[in-house]
Amino acid sequence: MSAFTFIPQQYASLLSSHIAKGEFDSAQKIVDQNAIDINAYIDSEDYSTLIIEVLTTYGCKDEEERAEMLRYLLEKGANPNTYCKNGYNALHIAVQQDKLVKCMNLLLDYGGDVNLADPNGGTVAYWAIQGFPWRTEGQERENHLNTIEKIMMLGADLDRKNKFGVDPRKWLEHTSEDVKELVAKCEKRNPVYKPSHTIVPKFPTNYKFPEIVEQLRALIPPTGSAKTIEAEMLRGLDILQDEAYRNGNINYNQQHKDFAQFILLTLTTSTVFDDKEIKTISSNVKKLMSAKKPYLDDDVYDYLTDKICVYYNHQNKKENAKKKWWQIGK
């Protein structure tokens, strides 16, 4: 039996369609008239929640309407800390988008946990201090500063390092004086953190070699290159997926393209795959090489992850072939 709760399909597809078009009144009617579990997942592919659907829809032309729909869900008990399959919750998404500052504040007002981390170990404090006030002025800057103050007063841990060994306090060294002064003032007030006790569930994957994926991810260090070429390819693929899913490739740069090129060259110039597979690998990697077209489906990332694992298995077989029988496994 599944440990996850889903919105019934006949309602989920309608809700998804209305939210995608920004038809929030119609979405509310479905929720109200059918006693929809507001915290159930809307699909079994991305394991997205209604909150995340509202935050990420491109069909919403008015940010006030988006915020009102979000408030409606939160007042009905929607949990802002629920994770989707890609390892993010609503706060991780909202803090990345300037237009979602008002939504971000609503999430914080309704129990958003400021110390829950995204897949790379980054918290909302990390992303807010890193990017919120930069290149802004006037009322927009004031809104950003107010949100940082709220995050701090909810007990944000500035010393929590992400998987690359960088913490929010490190970003303070590079930010403006008004942010530094604001953070210092908040810390002197000794804010109290109230954890939500949210646990990231273990979502099912479509990987053919989940144990190898876990093994390779364990070889990716907080800083510097991974310990094996396969782990480094997986690190690059994770970064490409993270940028597409969370930011829509807003921050896509030459480094991201270099990661894709590295994966492409490593896999296609090896002797592991035949010509047909090389053609398919090339086609899939090229989908990740456009800053203007973020790839938002799992299939390409899952496929390339599997190919990295096949490459890893092949390399291990080659190494074992060189060993005496008593050395295999060492």
Side-chain angles (χ1 to χ4, degrees):
M1 182 179 293
S2 173
F4 300 96
T5 302
F6 296 97
I7 295 172
Q9 184 58 43
Q10 68 267 32
Y11 303 128
S13 56
L14 279 173
L15 280 169
S16 185
S17 176
H18 286 313
I19 292 172
K21 296 174 184 177
E23 299 169 350
F24 295 148
D25 287 344
S26 297
Q28 287 184 25
K29 286 180 182 177
I30 293 174
V31 172
D32 290 336
Q33 293 173 3
N34 298 284
I36 300 296
D37 181 349
I38 215 72
N39 285 306
Y41 289 102
I42 200 166
D43 66 82
S44 58
E45 182 176 346
D46 297 324
Y47 287 75
S48 183
T49 63
L50 287 171
I51 283 182
I52 290 177
E53 292 283 301
V54 170
L55 283 176
T56 56
T57 179
Y58 290 106
C60 178
K61 302 296 189 295
D62 188 324
E63 290 306 312
E64 287 294 327
E65 290 182 5
R66 189 196 303 273
E68 283 307 306
M69 181 62 183
L70 185 64
R71 185 188 296 277
Y72 162 82
L73 294 172
L74 291 166
E75 287 183 348
K76 290 185 76 70
N79 182 359
N81 301 308
T82 301
Y83 280 80
C84 69
K85 185 179 179 180
N86 296 311
Y88 307 105
N89 63 30
L91 286 90
H92 300 140
I93 295 170
V95 76
Q96 294 289 315
Q97 306 290 334
D98 287 344
K99 68 180 182 180
L100 297 178
V101 171
K102 186 167 185 177
C103 291
M104 179 71 190
N105 278 280
L106 279 171
L107 295 171
L108 294 171
D109 288 341
Y110 283 83
D113 190 327
V114 295
N115 288 324
L116 292 178
D118 65 21
N120 288 324
T123 62
V124 293
Y126 176 93
W127 292 111
I129 292 173
Q130 184 214 47
F132 251 16
W134 293 22
R135 300 181 301 278
T136 59
E137 57 186 19
Q139 187 58 51
E140 184 182 9
R141 187 176 188 83
E142 193 65 28
N143 292 341
H144 287 172
L145 291 172
N146 289 340
T147 302
I148 290 178
E149 181 175 15
K150 184 177 290 187
I151 291 169
M152 289 300 304
M153 294 313 298
L154 286 170
D157 181 359
L158 297 189
D159 300 306
R160 177 168 181 166
K161 289 181 169 56
N162 66 8
K163 66 186 293 185
F164 306 110
V166 183
D167 56 41
R169 196 175 299 282
K170 184 68 177 177
W171 275 110
L172 281 175
E173 299 174 10
H174 307 285
T175 193
S176 56
E177 287 303 315
D178 55 353
V179 176
K180 292 177 183 177
E181 291 173 5
L182 174 63
V183 169
K185 181 182 73 174
C186 291
E187 288 195 302
K188 287 181 180 178
R189 293 161 65 183
N190 295 317
V192 176
Y193 170 56
K194 296 179 180 179
S196 63
H197 303 295
T198 299
I199 298 173
V200 184
K202 191 171 182 62
F203 293 102
T205 71
N206 294 319
Y207 299 144
K208 293 181 180 178
F209 312 97
E211 297 84 4
I212 296 177
V213 174
E214 191 171 339
Q215 182 180 345
L216 290 177
R217 287 216 169 103
L219 298 176
I220 302 174
T223 58
S225 300
K227 296 179 181 179
T228 68
I229 192 170
E230 298 89 353
E232 185 65 10
M233 282 193 284
L234 191 58
R235 182 174 81 96
L237 188 61
D238 286 346
I239 289 172
L240 287 164
Q241 186 173 17
D242 175 74
E243 176 58 28
Y245 282 6
R246 182 174 54 195
N247 298 328
N249 278 3
I250 290 174
N251 300 316
Y252 192 102
N253 56 31
Q254 187 60 45
Q255 184 185 42
H256 292 90
K257 196 166 186 176
D258 288 345
F259 275 129
Q261 191 71 27
F262 166 64
I263 295 167
L264 177 64
L265 288 175
T266 305
L267 294 179
T268 59
T269 59
S270 72
T271 59
V272 179
F273 306 103
D274 60 27
D275 291 343
K276 183 178 179 181
E277 286 177 309
I278 286 174
K279 187 176 180 180
T280 305
I281 290 169
S282 299
S283 174
N284 277 277
V285 175
K286 286 175 182 176
K287 293 176 182 178
L288 309 181
M289 299 180 77
S290 172
K292 295 181 179 179
K293 295 181 179 179
Y295 198 83
L296 301 175
D297 293 324
D298 286 345
D299 58 346
V300 165
Y301 303 103
D302 291 345
Y303 170 81
L304 291 173
T305 297
D306 288 340
K307 294 307 171 186
I308 290 170
C309 291
V310 171
Y311 180 94
Y312 172 79
N313 278 335
H314 181 81
Q315 296 302 100
N316 275 357
K317 286 179 181 177
K318 283 174 61 178
E319 290 300 315
N320 283 336
K322 299 175 184 178
K323 297 179 179 179
K324 304 297 182 183
W325 66 267
W326 61 82
Q327 294 174 314
I328 295 177
K330 295 182 179 180

